Amino acid sequence: MKNLKNWVGEITGAFSATLKHAFAERDTVCYPAEKPDLPERWRGRIILTVTPEGEERCVACYLCSSVCPSSAITIQGAEREDDERRYAEKFEIDFTRCIFCGLCEEACPTRAIQTTNDFEMGASSRAELVYDKSRLLENHTGKYPDFDYFKRAGVPIRGKDVGEGANEKPPVDVYTLLP
Amino acid sequence: MMLWHFVFWLSCAVAVVCSASLLFVRKPMHGAVYLTTAMCALALAFYLLGAPFIAMMQLILYVGAIMVLFVFVIMLSPLQETFPLQLQDRSLWPGLILLILMLLELGALLFGGLQVDPTTPQIIDSKAVGELLFGHYKLAVEAISTLLLAALVGVMYFARHLQRHQERKLPEQQEAK
Amino acid sequence: MSPWLFWPLITIAMVVVILGLILAAGFTVFGERRILGLLQNRYGPNQAGPFGLLQAIADAVKLLTKEYFLPGFVDQKLYKLAPVLVVVTVLLSFVVVPIGKGISFAADFNVGLLFILGLSSLHVYGIFLGGWSSSTKYTVLGSIRTIAQLISYELAMGVALLGVVLLSGSFSLEDIVLKQDIAYIFLQPFGFIVFFIAGIAETNRLPFDLPEAENELAAGFNTEYGGMPFAMFFLGEYLGIIFISCLTTTLYLGGWHGPWAESYPLVGVFWFALKTLALLFFFIWMRASVPRVRWDQLMSFGWKYLLPLGLVNIIATALISALWM
């Protein structure tokens, strides 16, 4: 008899619980009509950014393509004629393979490759999902508006010799330190 | 009406053809399906002969209970094992003799002036069947139900006995391994 | 009426009713998705048409235009037969249900109730032949479960129905409805419970949907089906739900009885539809609320509780009717 009471209690409890949820607030979002509010650090479509001066940040170091777990990034590096600064001649991300792990962004020393909070990348063919450099490169600085790698690194380029960067001391002549 | 004649003889033909094809099928499940179809056709024939209760019992009991158990056994048995009929086998003879006797009886019935007229049936409804079962055939019904009860108790006893037996055997087997 | 007028009219009526039932089944699917959404803090399909009403038609078109795929390892004849059997048996069962005063095909069929039981056993053939002929582990397991469920619950269902037959003294559904001045749910509460639980098990719905048990058996008996044959299984399932709701209404909730139903048959149809829709809602509500039972629990519940309860119900009904009537 006690069992029966338990059973009836459990079943009516279950039914009333679901009925209560009929009047609760909806948890789902009507997506295309109502855009979700995604955080800035969302790992969505990958872009290539430029420095505040408008030069490409990417120096074709291959770190992103080597760290990529699904081998989605293909890079062909080259050097500029005038100042010998490296750049990516060819930069392709195959988004059919990309798993949006964000490791490329973490690996990038020049903060060129960045993830955005855009995820609406539907395409009607696989070939469309292989983004080449013209589709990846965007004319803004992304999440780091002031960052310029060459201003901080001890690499000589045009207009800046070693030791002339921001927060940088002139190089030490190691021979003067000898006893 | 012509239509009911047609339906009646059609269902009879279906029943005969399905029963005959039962002898020639390769897969046991196909045989079961043929038998089921024969049962359904038979139910229709019963209905047209004026016995709705028996017709529905044919459906519920034979199709819904007995054939289902057949099918259950077929499903749980291995597919490849088939046993071709050995005509040399002497234990087959009593069955064959019975079969011939039944065919003779059937022939005698068919040619001895059997009246089958589905147009003007004498309708035997469920009430009449019930009155006969619990009036005239009361003893037989009671005897059969007692027999079934005995079978039920027997099966329960065997099941429990077998279970206990296996439980006792299980630790020994594990030790042996 | 002359037969030359009678048969064409009957054919037209049958086509209309079948199309209507198929539409009703489609909208039951839609309604189920919306109500499940409602009960689970979701929206459900609300994009196609007003309130998503055209979703049922969109689904139907999608399923109809899919490729008809025949796997190489199946038993072809039975594989093709099974979905047809499922749909045809349920559609045939609707013939004996009276939806209003004198509105039905053959509600005065003198063994209507037994006819329904016989067809429901044929319906199960469709399900397990589908599973068996697909010859995959999951489908065969689903089929075996179907049979086990059938033999545990068909008996309880029949026993529960006997209470109604004892009270009304007839197997014909029309007579049963006509005799229900008081709905039989008040005279036969235990019979109602047994019948309804067995009915849920018959339609393979949660909490008794062991034959298809999505998270144990992929999709159970219809794992290997796709496109149109799958649509037919789907249709059979939802028609089955509608049918069990109609039957419960007819047998226990007083059928088309209600205010003004005697004088205006169409009002009776309204009451019938209302009761059936309430039961359909209950089916869906149950799906949202109750978890699936284990299959040994299902068997032991059927044999140890449901069948004895049904038997006690019959004996009590017989005693009371013998003493009072």
Side-chain angles (χ1 to χ4, degrees), chain A residues 14-15 18 21-22 24 26-28, chain C residues 37-39 41-43 285 288-289:
Chain A
F15 276 92
T18 44
H21 280 276
R26 304 292 94 178
D27 284 340
T28 37
Chain C
L38 182 75
L39 297 177
N41 296 9
R42 299 185 284 115
Y43 288 107
W285 186 15
S289 308

Side-chain angles (χ1 to χ4, degrees), chain A residues 65-129:
Chain A
S65 83
S66 41
V67 80
C68 183
S70 54
S71 309
I73 306 178
T74 314
I75 307 173
Q76 178 75 52
E79 269 181 17
R80 278 195 229 166
E81 292 286 326
D82 50 350
D83 59 351
E84 297 183 337
R85 175 170 164 164
R86 283 178 62 79
Y87 71 101
E89 192 178 26
K90 197 176 122 191
F91 199 108
E92 273 183 12
I93 300 182
D94 186 350
F95 280 110
T96 58
R97 306 184 62 126
C98 180
I99 56 170
F100 301 98
C101 60
L103 285 180
C104 49
E105 185 182 24
E106 283 176 35
C108 187
T110 62
R111 294 182 179 171
I113 191 164
Q114 289 181 12
T115 53
T116 58
N117 58 7
D118 172 27
F119 59 92
E120 293 162 329
M121 301 173 63
S124 45
S125 74
R126 279 162 186 265
E128 268 178 67
L129 279 171

Side-chain angles (χ1 to χ4, degrees), chain C residues 227-303:
Chain C
M228 190 62 206
F230 171 74
M232 286 174 90
F233 271 123
F234 211 59
L235 193 67
E237 186 185 335
Y238 281 88
L239 281 176
I241 299 168
I242 297 177
F243 178 68
I244 289 292
S245 303
C246 285
L247 195 62
T248 315
T249 308
T250 312
L251 295 178
Y252 288 101
L253 302 186
W256 43 262
H257 276 297
W260 306 293
E262 285 285 341
S263 35
Y264 305 104
L266 281 178
V267 179
V269 175
F270 170 73
W271 291 121
F272 184 85
L274 201 68
K275 290 168 185 173
T276 307
L277 283 178
L279 282 170
L280 275 175
F281 174 74
F282 188 74
F283 262 97
I284 296 163
W285 186 15
M286 188 158 51
R287 179 172 175 178
S289 308
V290 187
R292 178 183 303 127
V293 296
R294 229 171 37 221
W295 94 299
D296 59 319
Q297 288 171 337
L298 172 105
M299 298 287 281
S300 66
F301 181 68
W303 289 109

Side-chain angles (χ1 to χ4, degrees), chain C residues 41-112:
Chain C
N41 296 9
R42 299 185 284 115
Y43 288 107
N46 59 356
Q47 293 297 314
F51 305 108
L53 272 173
L54 298 179
Q55 185 68 36
I57 293 156
D59 282 346
V61 170
K62 184 201 78 176
L63 282 170
L64 287 177
T65 50
K66 270 191 170 178
E67 181 191 3
Y68 178 62
F69 179 68
L70 197 64
F73 46 80
V74 301
D75 188 323
Q76 294 209 2
K77 283 175 198 157
L78 296 183
Y79 183 84
K80 286 172 186 164
L81 173 74
V84 180
L85 207 57
V86 167
V87 175
V88 167
T89 47
V90 187
L91 282 178
L92 209 55
S93 312
F94 278 100
V95 161
V96 291
V97 177
I99 61 168
K101 197 184 181 190
I103 306 177
S104 72
F105 279 102
D108 53 347
F109 187 28
N110 53 5
V111 284

Side-chain angles (χ1 to χ4, degrees), chain B residues 75-134:
Chain B
M75 256 184 183
L76 294 178
S77 60
L79 273 180
Q80 269 69 37
E81 281 177 44
T82 50
F83 302 101
L85 200 63
Q86 300 276 331
L87 282 178
Q88 287 87 0
D89 198 352
R90 271 164 192 273
S91 62
L92 210 66
W93 285 12
L96 276 177
I97 292 167
L98 267 178
L99 181 68
I100 291 165
L101 269 177
M102 277 198 38
L103 283 177
L104 283 177
E105 278 177 20
L106 197 64
L109 267 176
L110 275 179
F111 296 106
L114 177 70
Q115 296 286 322
V116 176
D117 188 10
T119 49
T120 53
Q122 185 199 353
I123 293 174
I124 306 158
D125 60 353
S126 38
K127 207 164 267 180
V129 175
E131 269 164 13
L132 270 183
L133 277 183
F134 291 100

Side-chain angles (χ1 to χ4, degrees), chain C residues 11 48 92 112 117 141 148 165 206-207 221 284 291 307 313 319:
Chain C
T11 315
L92 209 55
L117 283 178
L141 278 174
V165 175
L206 274 159
F221 64 92
I284 296 163
L307 188 63
N313 180 49
L319 275 179

